[in-house]
Amino acid sequence: MGRTDDDTWDPATGVGVTATFGALARAVATTKGLINDPFAEPLVRAAGVDYFIRVFEGDLDTAGGADNAVMTGLMDILATHSRFLDGFLADAGRAGIRQVVVLGSGLDTRPYRLWWPPGTTLYEIDQPSVIEFKTRVLRELGATPTAHRRALGIDLRQDWLTALLRAGFDAAQPTVWIAEGLLVGYLPPDAQNRLLQDVTTASAPGSRFAADHMPTWTPAQLEAGRAFIDRWRQVGLDVDLAGLTYSGEYRYLPEHLASHGWETVERNVVELFAVMGIPGRRRLRPRDLAITPRYVTATLGMRPVGGR
Protein backbone atom coordinates (compact mmCIF):
# COMPACT_ATOMS: atom_id res chain seq x y z
CA MET A 1 0.00 0.00 0.00
CA GLY A 2 1.35 3.44 -0.93
CA ARG A 3 1.84 6.52 1.20
CA THR A 4 -1.00 8.90 2.07
CA ASP A 5 -0.86 12.57 3.07
CA ASP A 6 -1.92 11.85 6.64
CA ASP A 7 -0.20 8.54 7.39
CA THR A 8 1.55 8.17 10.73
CA TRP A 9 4.05 5.76 12.23
CA ASP A 10 6.04 4.79 15.29
CA PRO A 11 9.47 3.08 15.58
CA ALA A 12 7.99 -0.35 14.84
CA THR A 13 5.71 0.50 11.90
CA GLY A 14 5.87 2.07 8.46
CA VAL A 15 8.56 4.67 7.85
CA GLY A 16 9.48 4.45 11.54
CA VAL A 17 11.08 1.04 10.94
CA THR A 18 13.81 2.79 8.94
CA ALA A 19 14.64 4.93 11.99
CA THR A 20 14.96 1.79 14.09
CA PHE A 21 17.20 0.25 11.43
CA GLY A 22 19.41 3.35 11.68
CA ALA A 23 19.61 2.85 15.45
CA LEU A 24 20.52 -0.79 14.83
CA ALA A 25 23.37 0.31 12.56
CA ARG A 26 24.69 2.61 15.29
CA ALA A 27 24.32 -0.12 17.93
CA VAL A 28 26.35 -2.57 15.85
CA ALA A 29 28.89 0.13 14.96
CA THR A 30 29.27 0.94 18.66
CA THR A 31 30.30 -2.65 19.36
CA LYS A 32 32.92 -2.30 16.59
CA GLY A 33 34.27 0.97 17.97
CA LEU A 34 33.24 2.90 14.83
CA ILE A 35 30.87 5.20 16.70
CA ASN A 36 29.86 5.76 20.33
CA ASP A 37 26.11 5.57 20.86
CA PRO A 38 25.32 3.82 24.18
CA PHE A 39 21.62 4.52 23.72
CA ALA A 40 21.18 2.86 20.33
CA GLU A 41 20.87 -0.72 21.60
CA PRO A 42 18.28 0.09 24.30
CA LEU A 43 16.21 1.99 21.74
CA VAL A 44 16.30 -0.94 19.31
CA ARG A 45 15.23 -3.34 22.04
CA ALA A 46 12.48 -1.00 23.23
CA ALA A 47 11.10 -0.67 19.69
CA GLY A 48 10.54 -4.42 19.80
CA VAL A 49 11.25 -5.32 16.16
CA ASP A 50 12.30 -8.93 16.72
CA TYR A 51 14.42 -9.29 13.58
CA PHE A 52 16.51 -6.21 14.41
CA ILE A 53 17.10 -7.51 17.92
CA ARG A 54 18.26 -10.84 16.50
CA VAL A 55 20.59 -9.06 14.08
CA PHE A 56 22.19 -7.15 16.95
CA GLU A 57 22.64 -10.35 18.89
CA GLY A 58 24.50 -11.86 15.95
CA ASP A 59 21.75 -14.12 14.62
CA LEU A 60 22.27 -13.56 10.90
CA ASP A 61 22.33 -17.24 9.94
CA THR A 62 18.69 -17.17 8.85
CA ALA A 63 19.53 -14.83 5.99
CA GLY A 64 22.49 -16.60 4.40
CA GLY A 65 26.02 -15.46 3.56
CA ALA A 66 25.27 -13.13 0.63
CA ASP A 67 22.40 -11.52 2.49
CA ASN A 68 24.62 -11.04 5.54
CA ALA A 69 27.06 -9.09 3.39
CA VAL A 70 24.27 -6.85 2.10
CA MET A 71 22.95 -6.24 5.62
CA THR A 72 26.43 -5.59 7.03
CA GLY A 73 27.36 -3.30 4.15
CA LEU A 74 24.22 -1.21 4.50
CA MET A 75 24.68 -0.86 8.26
CA ASP A 76 28.31 0.18 7.72
CA ILE A 77 27.19 2.89 5.28
CA LEU A 78 24.54 4.22 7.69
CA ALA A 79 26.95 4.25 10.62
CA THR A 80 29.71 5.91 8.59
CA HIS A 81 27.36 8.67 7.48
CA SER A 82 26.24 9.19 11.09
CA ARG A 83 29.87 9.51 12.16
CA PHE A 84 30.51 11.93 9.30
CA LEU A 85 27.58 14.06 10.45
CA ASP A 86 28.89 14.00 14.02
CA GLY A 87 32.09 15.60 12.72
CA PHE A 88 30.11 18.05 10.58
CA LEU A 89 28.22 19.19 13.67
CA ALA A 90 31.41 19.45 15.72
CA ASP A 91 32.98 21.64 13.04
CA ALA A 92 29.92 23.91 13.09
CA GLY A 93 30.18 24.21 16.86
CA ARG A 94 33.86 25.14 16.64
CA ALA A 95 32.88 27.80 14.10
CA GLY A 96 30.56 29.36 16.69
CA ILE A 97 27.18 28.02 15.54
CA ARG A 98 24.98 27.40 18.58
CA GLN A 99 21.67 26.49 16.92
CA VAL A 100 21.05 22.99 15.54
CA VAL A 101 17.96 21.54 13.83
CA VAL A 102 17.63 17.80 13.13
CA LEU A 103 14.89 17.26 10.54
CA GLY A 104 13.25 13.84 10.76
CA SER A 105 15.32 13.01 13.84
CA GLY A 106 13.99 9.45 14.24
CA LEU A 107 15.91 7.64 16.98
CA ASP A 108 18.96 9.88 16.65
CA THR A 109 20.53 10.49 20.08
CA ARG A 110 22.96 13.33 19.35
CA PRO A 111 21.44 15.63 22.01
CA TYR A 112 22.55 13.01 24.57
CA ARG A 113 25.65 11.30 23.20
CA LEU A 114 27.68 14.22 21.78
CA TRP A 115 29.45 17.03 23.58
CA TRP A 116 28.05 20.44 22.66
CA PRO A 117 29.57 23.89 23.23
CA PRO A 118 27.87 25.79 26.08
CA GLY A 119 24.81 27.67 24.90
CA THR A 120 23.89 25.23 22.13
CA THR A 121 20.19 24.64 21.51
CA LEU A 122 19.23 21.56 19.51
CA TYR A 123 15.78 21.19 17.97
CA GLU A 124 14.52 17.74 16.97
CA ILE A 125 11.52 17.40 14.65
CA ASP A 126 9.66 14.17 13.90
CA GLN A 127 6.30 12.46 14.22
CA PRO A 128 4.77 12.93 17.70
CA SER A 129 4.79 9.18 18.45
CA VAL A 130 8.47 8.89 17.50
CA ILE A 131 9.46 11.88 19.66
CA GLU A 132 7.41 10.59 22.58
CA PHE A 133 8.88 7.09 22.32
CA LYS A 134 12.48 8.26 22.24
CA THR A 135 12.00 10.80 25.03
CA ARG A 136 10.37 8.20 27.26
CA VAL A 137 12.98 5.51 26.68
CA LEU A 138 15.90 7.88 27.25
CA ARG A 139 14.27 9.27 30.40
CA GLU A 140 13.86 5.74 31.74
CA LEU A 141 17.56 5.15 31.00
CA GLY A 142 18.45 8.23 33.05
CA ALA A 143 19.99 9.94 30.01
CA THR A 144 20.62 13.68 30.32
CA PRO A 145 20.83 16.00 27.30
CA THR A 146 24.21 17.65 26.78
CA ALA A 147 22.60 20.61 24.96
CA HIS A 148 19.37 22.52 25.37
CA ARG A 149 17.08 19.97 23.70
CA ARG A 150 13.74 21.09 22.31
CA ALA A 151 11.79 18.25 20.70
CA LEU A 152 8.89 19.06 18.37
CA GLY A 153 6.35 16.39 17.48
CA ILE A 154 5.09 17.53 14.10
CA ASP A 155 4.89 16.03 10.62
CA LEU A 156 7.40 17.63 8.23
CA ARG A 157 4.66 17.68 5.59
CA GLN A 158 2.87 20.21 7.81
CA ASP A 159 3.84 23.74 8.92
CA TRP A 160 6.85 22.68 10.96
CA LEU A 161 8.62 26.03 10.55
CA THR A 162 5.93 27.94 12.45
CA ALA A 163 6.19 25.38 15.26
CA LEU A 164 9.98 25.76 15.25
CA LEU A 165 9.77 29.54 15.54
CA ARG A 166 7.26 29.27 18.37
CA ALA A 167 9.66 26.96 20.21
CA GLY A 168 12.28 29.72 20.30
CA PHE A 169 14.22 29.22 17.08
CA ASP A 170 16.04 32.41 16.02
CA ALA A 171 16.19 32.79 12.25
CA ALA A 172 18.66 35.68 12.64
CA GLN A 173 21.33 33.33 14.01
CA PRO A 174 23.34 30.87 11.89
CA THR A 175 22.00 27.32 12.11
CA VAL A 176 23.37 23.89 11.29
CA TRP A 177 20.67 21.68 9.74
CA ILE A 178 20.77 17.88 9.47
CA ALA A 179 18.43 15.80 7.29
CA GLU A 180 19.68 12.24 7.76
CA GLY A 181 17.76 9.50 5.96
CA LEU A 182 14.95 11.90 5.02
CA LEU A 183 15.47 13.19 1.47
CA VAL A 184 15.48 9.72 -0.07
CA GLY A 185 11.81 9.62 -1.01
CA TYR A 186 10.12 9.86 2.39
CA LEU A 187 8.57 13.24 1.53
CA PRO A 188 6.46 13.97 -1.58
CA PRO A 189 8.42 16.04 -4.13
CA ASP A 190 6.41 19.20 -3.43
CA ALA A 191 6.78 18.79 0.34
CA GLN A 192 10.53 18.28 -0.04
CA ASN A 193 10.75 21.45 -2.13
CA ARG A 194 8.82 23.38 0.52
CA LEU A 195 11.04 22.01 3.27
CA LEU A 196 14.20 23.12 1.48
CA GLN A 197 12.69 26.53 0.79
CA ASP A 198 11.74 26.88 4.46
CA VAL A 199 15.24 25.85 5.54
CA THR A 200 16.70 28.57 3.31
CA THR A 201 14.19 31.17 4.49
CA ALA A 202 15.01 30.41 8.14
CA SER A 203 18.80 30.36 7.62
CA ALA A 204 21.10 33.29 8.32
CA PRO A 205 24.27 33.63 6.23
CA GLY A 206 26.88 31.18 7.44
CA SER A 207 24.32 28.47 8.17
CA ARG A 208 25.23 24.89 7.25
CA PHE A 209 23.23 21.96 5.91
CA ALA A 210 23.95 18.25 5.46
CA ALA A 211 21.82 15.44 4.03
CA ASP A 212 21.84 12.22 2.08
CA HIS A 213 19.58 12.20 -0.95
CA MET A 214 18.25 10.27 -3.91
CA PRO A 215 16.97 12.35 -6.82
CA THR A 216 14.32 9.73 -7.55
CA TRP A 217 13.58 6.04 -7.10
CA THR A 218 14.52 4.61 -10.48
CA PRO A 219 13.34 1.14 -11.57
CA ALA A 220 16.83 -0.22 -10.79
CA GLN A 221 16.74 1.25 -7.29
CA LEU A 222 13.28 -0.12 -6.62
CA GLU A 223 14.31 -3.54 -7.89
CA ALA A 224 17.35 -3.62 -5.59
CA GLY A 225 15.27 -2.32 -2.69
CA ARG A 226 12.56 -4.90 -3.19
CA ALA A 227 15.14 -7.70 -3.33
CA PHE A 228 16.61 -6.54 -0.02
CA ILE A 229 13.21 -6.13 1.66
CA ASP A 230 12.07 -9.52 0.34
CA ARG A 231 14.91 -11.08 2.30
CA TRP A 232 13.66 -9.26 5.39
CA ARG A 233 10.20 -10.69 4.78
CA GLN A 234 11.59 -14.21 4.63
CA VAL A 235 12.67 -13.86 8.25
CA GLY A 236 9.42 -12.32 9.43
CA LEU A 237 9.83 -8.55 8.97
CA ASP A 238 6.95 -7.36 6.79
CA VAL A 239 8.05 -4.06 5.24
CA ASP A 240 7.09 -2.81 1.78
CA LEU A 241 9.83 -0.44 0.59
CA ALA A 242 7.72 0.82 -2.30
CA GLY A 243 5.01 1.63 0.24
CA LEU A 244 7.41 3.77 2.30
CA THR A 245 8.54 6.13 -0.44
CA TYR A 246 6.77 8.54 -2.75
CA SER A 247 6.93 8.36 -6.51
CA GLY A 248 7.60 11.40 -8.65
CA GLU A 249 10.50 13.52 -9.80
CA TYR A 250 12.66 15.36 -7.28
CA ARG A 251 14.86 18.33 -8.00
CA TYR A 252 18.54 17.46 -7.88
CA LEU A 253 19.45 18.51 -4.35
CA PRO A 254 22.83 20.22 -4.94
CA GLU A 255 21.38 22.26 -7.81
CA HIS A 256 18.30 23.14 -5.77
CA LEU A 257 20.41 24.36 -2.88
CA ALA A 258 22.82 26.23 -5.15
CA SER A 259 19.93 28.10 -6.77
CA HIS A 260 19.09 29.47 -3.31
CA GLY A 261 22.58 30.67 -2.45
CA TRP A 262 24.10 27.55 -0.86
CA GLU A 263 27.65 26.47 -1.70
CA THR A 264 27.51 22.67 -1.95
CA VAL A 265 29.82 19.67 -1.92
CA GLU A 266 28.51 16.26 -2.98
CA ARG A 267 30.11 12.86 -2.35
CA ASN A 268 29.23 9.31 -3.28
CA VAL A 269 29.54 6.46 -0.80
CA VAL A 270 33.10 5.59 -1.85
CA GLU A 271 34.18 9.19 -1.29
CA LEU A 272 32.35 9.23 2.03
CA PHE A 273 34.35 6.24 3.28
CA ALA A 274 37.56 7.79 1.97
CA VAL A 275 37.05 11.15 3.67
CA MET A 276 36.39 9.31 6.94
CA GLY A 277 39.54 7.23 6.52
CA ILE A 278 37.56 4.00 6.86
CA PRO A 279 38.63 0.98 4.80
CA GLY A 280 36.07 -0.85 2.69
CA ARG A 281 33.61 0.11 -0.01
CA ARG A 282 36.54 1.34 -2.06
CA ARG A 283 35.29 -0.41 -5.16
CA LEU A 284 31.67 -0.58 -6.11
CA ARG A 285 30.13 -1.51 -9.41
CA PRO A 286 28.53 1.41 -11.29
CA ARG A 287 25.16 -0.28 -10.69
CA ASP A 288 25.80 -0.33 -6.94
CA LEU A 289 26.71 3.35 -6.93
CA ALA A 290 23.57 4.12 -8.92
CA ILE A 291 21.31 2.69 -6.20
CA THR A 292 23.18 4.23 -3.25
CA PRO A 293 22.32 7.66 -1.81
CA ARG A 294 24.66 10.59 -2.33
CA TYR A 295 25.81 12.91 0.44
CA VAL A 296 25.60 16.69 0.37
CA THR A 297 27.02 19.38 2.64
CA ALA A 298 26.31 23.06 2.09
CA THR A 299 27.04 26.51 3.48
CA LEU A 300 24.79 29.52 2.93
CA GLY A 301 26.50 32.65 1.63
CA MET A 302 24.93 36.05 1.23
CA ARG A 303 21.51 35.74 -0.38
CA PRO A 304 21.41 36.53 -4.10
CA VAL A 305 19.69 39.74 -5.11
CA GLY A 306 15.99 39.02 -5.41
CA GLY A 307 16.32 35.77 -3.45
CA ARG A 308 14.18 34.94 -0.45
Side-chain angles (χ1 to χ4, degrees):
M1 187 172 76
R3 298 288 304 278
T4 61
D5 291 339
D6 58 352
D7 57 351
T8 60
W9 54 86
D10 59 37
T13 61
V15 177
V17 172
T18 65
T20 305
F21 184 58
L24 170 65
R26 294 194 305 277
V28 172
T30 296
T31 67
K32 298 178 179 179
L34 178 65
I35 202 169
N36 181 25
D37 187 349
F39 308 112
E41 178 191 348
L43 284 166
V44 171
R45 293 187 181 279
V49 179
D50 181 65
Y51 177 55
F52 290 163
I53 295 172
R54 299 201 328 262
V55 168
F56 178 77
E57 293 175 345
D59 180 17
L60 290 174
D61 294 339
T62 55
D67 296 345
N68 293 357
V70 173
M71 173 70 82
T72 300
L74 182 53
M75 289 194 295
D76 284 349
I77 291 171
L78 292 174
T80 299
H81 188 225
S82 287
R83 178 172 161 179
F84 174 81
L85 292 178
D86 289 351
F88 182 80
L89 291 165
D91 288 344
R94 284 191 288 269
I97 297 178
R98 298 293 181 267
Q99 193 164 240
V100 182
V101 180
V102 182
L103 299 162
S105 57
L107 300 187
D108 171 66
T109 61
R110 291 187 177 97
Y112 299 85
R113 67 178 177 84
L114 297 183
W115 178 87
W116 298 95
T120 300
T121 299
L122 190 153
Y123 299 88
E124 295 188 286
I125 306 177
D126 210 315
Q127 287 275 331
S129 57
V130 175
I131 291 290
E132 291 166 5
F133 169 84
K134 180 169 63 176
T135 301
R136 174 181 57 79
V137 172
L138 292 174
R139 184 188 301 119
E140 291 171 352
L141 291 171
T144 302
T146 53
H148 300 297
R149 175 183 181 250
R150 296 180 181 175
L152 307 179
I154 186 169
D155 194 310
L156 286 168
R157 296 167 296 184
Q158 300 173 358
D159 186 7
W160 60 270
L161 182 54
T162 295
L164 182 64
L165 293 168
R166 287 174 178 169
F169 177 84
D170 185 357
Q173 299 298 319
T175 302
V176 55
W177 305 82
I178 297 294
E180 184 177 13
L182 174 66
L183 307 182
V184 291
Y186 295 138
L187 292 173
D190 58 343
Q192 180 166 307
N193 291 339
R194 288 195 305 271
L195 179 138
L196 294 171
Q197 178 62 65
D198 286 344
V199 165
T200 300
T201 299
S203 293
S207 292
R208 304 184 184 191
F209 177 87
D212 48 339
H213 77 106
M214 246 177 214
T216 188
W217 280 96
T218 66
Q221 290 165 338
L222 284 173
E223 178 186 354
R226 288 192 188 101
F228 183 65
I229 296 302
D230 283 345
R231 290 190 283 267
W232 282 10
R233 285 177 169 172
Q234 291 172 13
V235 293
L237 182 59
D238 187 13
V239 176
D240 177 12
L241 180 64
L244 300 184
T245 57
Y246 287 93
S247 59
E249 295 187 8
Y250 292 82
R251 291 190 62 183
Y252 187 56
L253 183 59
E255 293 178 357
H256 192 168
L257 292 171
S259 71
H260 289 86
W262 295 85
E263 299 175 3
T264 66
V265 175
E266 185 181 43
R267 298 175 175 89
N268 63 29
V269 66
V270 174
E271 293 164 335
L272 180 71
F273 272 77
V275 78
M276 294 302 296
I278 298 173
R281 296 288 163 180
R282 293 174 181 168
R283 294 180 181 177
L284 285 179
R285 296 172 300 173
R287 182 180 182 278
D288 293 330
L289 285 174
I291 63 174
T292 304
R294 298 181 69 88
Y295 306 92
V296 176
T297 57
T299 303
L300 184 65
M302 298 302 294
R303 301 185 191 281
V305 175
R308 292 182 60 185

